[in-house]
Amino acid sequence: MGLERIDLRFRGDDIDKLLLKAECKWIYNLNSLQPSVSEQFAQIQNTGIINDNLSQGERKALNELMFHKELVIKPADKGGNVVILDQNYYISEAIRQLSDNDQYTSVTYDDFQKSHNELLFLLNDARISNLITTQEQGYLYNAKPKIPVFYWIPKIHKSLSKPPGHPMISGMGGPTEGISRDVDHLLQPFSWSNFTILSYLQTQLMDYRAPSTSELKDVDLINQILSDINNSIPSIIVTSLNTTTCATKCRVQILDPAQKYSVGDFLTVQVEMFDYLGQRKTYGGDFFRARIYSTKLKAGASGTVRDFNNGTYHVYFTLFWEGDVTISIILMHPSEGVSALWKARNMGYQNIYYTGKFLNKTKEVHTECGFILDSPEGKCEYSDKRKEEHFYCIKPPGVPCEALIAMKSNNRPHTYLSNLEKGLFNGSNMAVEIAKELKIVMVQKNQTSVSGKPSQGFTGPSQGFTGLHRAFTGLHRAFTGLHRAFTGLHKAFTGLHRAFTGLHRAFTGLHRASQGLHRASQGLHRASQGLHRASQGLHGASQGFTGPSQGFTGPSQGFTGPSQGLHRAFTGLHRAFTGLHRASQGLHRTSQGLHRASQGLHRASQGLHRASQGLHSAFTGLYRASQGLHRAFTGLHRTSQGLHRASQGFKLHMELDKYALMSLPSQHFPYLRNEYLTRNYTKDNSKCVTGMLLPFPSGYFFNNLWHPVFCNISSFEPLSKIKTCLSRKMIYLMGDSTIRQWIEFIPAVMPNVKFFDLHGFGWQKELLALDLERNMYIMWKKHGHPFVTQSFFTVKNHAYIAQDIDRVAGGSSTVIVIALGQHFRPFPLIVFIRRLLSVRNAIVRLFHRSPDTKVIIKSENTRDVNADVEIFSDFHGYVQYLLMKDIFQGLNVGVIDAWDMTTAFGSFNVHPPTDVIRNQINMFLTYICDL
């Protein structure tokens, strides 16, 4: 029942050979089952009762099994069986597999967010290239993805007791779910039986044109830059405004305040951020604008912010002028706002829409235009010859694409921000001054200052080298002191050695004297014994002479007694004299010993005196060494503060290295490393020339005049020499209205300059100014798409800057000034990166054919805060400013740091005031002329 025979024969000999040995297959005809199924549903709907085929006991047992906390129930890997596993074993097997570092890598939630953002960039790129539509991108991109879940199913066909696991990933709701579904859908037609898709892919790839090496290089560079910037910007999910940065609760203090400050000293301010609940912030990313200024002196300079990524920031200022200094630190956006702005910017092109005006004979036809158009209608493409820039308009029926004559733009009532994120951009959270409590700092002149004028011999390396000189002098003094100390110690130890030698000699002499006295005592004792014996001998002799008087009996015996007595007496006397002689020798030896002891004690006294002198000299040397080391460390500290900042600027490489916004670890974005830029720089007396690397800050205002710190602008205002400088020059101003201000300013200082009417319309029309007497030519032309303005502007002569540069012959009398930025803020950053790379490549081509052409890059400037923040925030401009400095470095171009100038000046206007424009032109003249 319900079966039909359907012929599945495929046409094509190759497929027949590969696939089908059988010519037919039996399948169910679902149409025949519909009445039966409908009848069953109708029965359920009418009664509302669904018959349960399980008893209450069975269902209770299943529920208990299903919710058992010590069991895991999974389907078997093969065979369709249900397997009940011990939970501990299930967990241990999962850990065993995840511990395999060859197969799995541990990542953080931040890594997950970064990869999700990179996916958004890739999809944006695909949409720009018209590979997918906006609707398809919405399907492929999951704005709020879940983290995919890991689990495993048992392979019971390999072991019943401890089955190994087959790892599985549940990507439902994950970041690539839409892409996976789309790939699966696209591959379905090629999944027949054993058919392989390789032959199909080979056929398709035969017609594929591989991109050129330069194209691949640019694509890789773009992806690297986007990835680096993305990694440097915090990815924060806002759940409550109470946990976001609160400007009014932050703590600001001057670190290590000095009693006196001199011109050229530096000042460090510490900022600690807290949320609305008073909790200390544990991550960075807040966006500040920092400067010092003096309203009285018409002075100002930018500060450099270092983010420690833990809620603490250090803001560094160089004190450039004598007099009062006020500190200003403005919280432009909290870190949560920065994260929201970055993500919103790169989500699409819906913030701005363009209207194109086509001319159909005598009638005008308006259609939608833009970088991305989600319409099935035919489109007109307006691209440069190298296909580096793309822009489209819907083609009006029956009207050629060449009939496009004008265009305008409007803000679309659209936002990529959530309602919660919008709260980050109200008045109380934007552009809040947080340094109000800091006192005004008074700065005194130093030896290199002229009263009332800024110092010419300070900042950066000059202070660093002065510090080094002081450090080396201190180290020399320290080593001299240490040498003296060690010499003194040597002298002390020599004296002590001599003293101990003398004492040893003294003790030896005393010992010898003692021995002499002992010998003398023995001699005297022996002499006493000898005399006693002599006395006894004489007494015996006297008794011997009494014998004869008593009788003559035994005469021999009578005479024997006296003889013996006399002999004994003489022997005793000899012994006495020997003892006396020995005593005399002992006394002499005693005298010598005492004399030697006296000499030893004298030598010991001299040694101790010399040791005392040596120790005194040693302590004097150590004190002198400590003074020298203190001086050395002071010098080294000063050096580290001056040169460390300067070294950061000199680390920039000649090719596309990296800059640092808040921190970025890649070779293509040095300003985005987390590193802060130089805060001190030498006031270099060399001339400002193209190809110089700019520090930050690159200069300062004093009396409303800009003084660069990396070169010498001149002792007088270059505008006074403008007529001589611009004589016989052809100057091309290419960019937005901020460079248009230049051509409007020049006639005010050169009355002979007159505008030539090119018969355009609107303020965006080309401007041409001539000075026929000096053979001078200046032209301003707006840059190509995107150009944001609500009034129609002509596109009859539309060209991208790269195309205009390619049309310039160049030469020593040719100057090109380029200004890009403000009109790119509402669009994904990839548009701006591509434009910069396109312009850079065009400059390289220009230098190949005309290396003596002067090219000047004017960075974009700050602007008003109250404009549509989502699309015009200065945060977008700051990222672009850093990118511009990075991408054009290594070329022989001059850079006018308009961002630094407007920050130092305190400008909050998209079109800076006249004082700023005058100083920009001063820098311009210094680059191109010998003044």
Side-chain angles (χ1 to χ4, degrees), residues 530-540 568-569 572-573:
L531 289 173
H532 178 69
R533 192 169 184 179
S535 175
Q536 286 180 334
L538 289 175
H539 179 71
R568 192 173 183 179
L573 289 172

Side-chain angles (χ1 to χ4, degrees), residues 530-547 558 561-570:
L531 289 173
H532 178 69
R533 192 169 184 179
S535 175
Q536 286 180 334
L538 289 175
H539 179 71
S542 67
Q543 286 181 344
F545 280 105
T546 61
S563 173
Q564 289 179 339
L566 289 172
H567 177 75
R568 192 173 183 179
F570 283 120

Side-chain angles (χ1 to χ4, degrees), residues 293-313:
Y293 66 94
S294 169
T295 304
K296 176 182 177 182
L297 301 174
K298 299 178 182 179
S302 302
T304 305
V305 180
R306 182 182 183 184
D307 185 351
F308 289 93
N309 296 313
N310 60 2
T312 299
Y313 303 83

Side-chain angles (χ1 to χ4, degrees), residues 589-627:
R589 192 169 185 179
T590 300
S591 175
Q592 286 181 324
L594 291 173
H595 178 70
R596 190 170 186 179
S598 175
Q599 285 181 325
L601 291 173
H602 178 70
R603 190 170 186 179
S605 174
Q606 286 181 324
L608 290 174
H609 178 69
R610 190 170 185 179
S612 174
Q613 287 180 323
L615 289 174
H616 177 72
S617 184
F619 285 120
T620 302
L622 288 174
Y623 176 72
R624 191 170 182 180
S626 69
Q627 286 184 318

Side-chain angles (χ1 to χ4, degrees), residues 186-381:
L186 294 173
L187 293 179
Q188 283 297 322
F190 312 107
S191 60
W192 312 308
S193 186
N194 296 323
F195 179 62
T196 174
I197 65 171
L198 291 178
S199 59
Y200 170 80
L201 292 177
Q202 288 174 351
T203 303
Q204 295 297 316
L205 290 175
M206 287 177 63
D207 297 327
Y208 173 71
R209 181 189 70 83
S212 66
T213 303
S214 61
E215 289 173 334
L216 287 174
K217 184 177 180 181
D218 281 351
V219 170
D220 290 341
L221 180 58
I222 290 170
N223 290 335
Q224 183 66 54
I225 291 173
L226 286 172
S227 176
D228 289 342
I229 301 175
N230 184 58
N231 291 339
S232 72
I233 296 174
S235 179
I236 304 170
I237 298 176
V238 180
T239 57
S240 170
L241 293 179
N242 287 331
T243 59
T244 63
T245 301
C246 177
T248 59
K249 292 185 180 294
C250 69
R251 298 175 185 173
V252 183
Q253 62 176 332
I254 297 175
L255 288 184
D256 301 324
Q259 293 182 351
K260 295 181 180 179
Y261 288 98
S262 299
V263 173
D265 288 345
F266 54 87
L267 184 148
T268 303
V269 178
Q270 179 169 288
V271 180
E272 296 176 286
M273 307 308 293
F274 295 81
D275 62 22
Y276 284 87
L277 300 176
Q279 301 287 337
R280 172 73 179 269
K281 295 292 291 293
T282 58
Y283 51 87
D286 298 291
F287 181 52
F288 299 91
R289 186 186 298 182
R291 75 178 186 118
I292 52 175
Y293 66 94
S294 169
T295 304
K296 176 182 177 182
L297 301 174
K298 299 178 182 179
S302 302
T304 305
V305 180
R306 182 182 183 184
D307 185 351
F308 289 93
N309 296 313
N310 60 2
T312 299
Y313 303 83
H314 282 179
V315 186
Y316 304 98
F317 299 101
T318 300
L319 303 177
F320 289 107
W321 62 84
E322 176 191 356
D324 63 290
V325 170
T326 301
I327 301 170
S328 170
I329 303 174
I330 299 175
L331 176 64
M332 301 299 292
H333 297 303
S335 53
E336 296 80 10
V338 168
S339 178
L341 287 173
W342 171 247
K343 187 174 181 180
R345 176 176 185 176
N346 295 287
M347 286 185 69
Y349 297 78
Q350 298 301 311
N351 292 318
I352 302 291
Y353 71 91
Y354 284 90
T355 300
K357 181 192 294 186
F358 289 80
L359 187 61
N360 185 12
K361 297 181 180 179
T362 59
K363 295 183 180 180
E364 295 179 355
V365 181
H366 294 180
T367 67
E368 185 179 358
C369 302
F371 290 100
I372 298 295
L373 295 177
D374 296 329
S375 172
E377 301 179 69
K379 301 178 183 65
C380 296
E381 179 178 357

Side-chain angles (χ1 to χ4, degrees), residues 102-121:
D102 293 334
Q103 302 296 329
Y104 299 95
T105 300
S106 176
V107 296
T108 64
Y109 184 73
D110 287 341
D111 296 326
F112 174 76
Q113 287 292 327
K114 289 172 183 176
S115 63
H116 183 232
N117 290 339
E118 288 175 3
L119 176 61
L120 175 61
F121 296 141

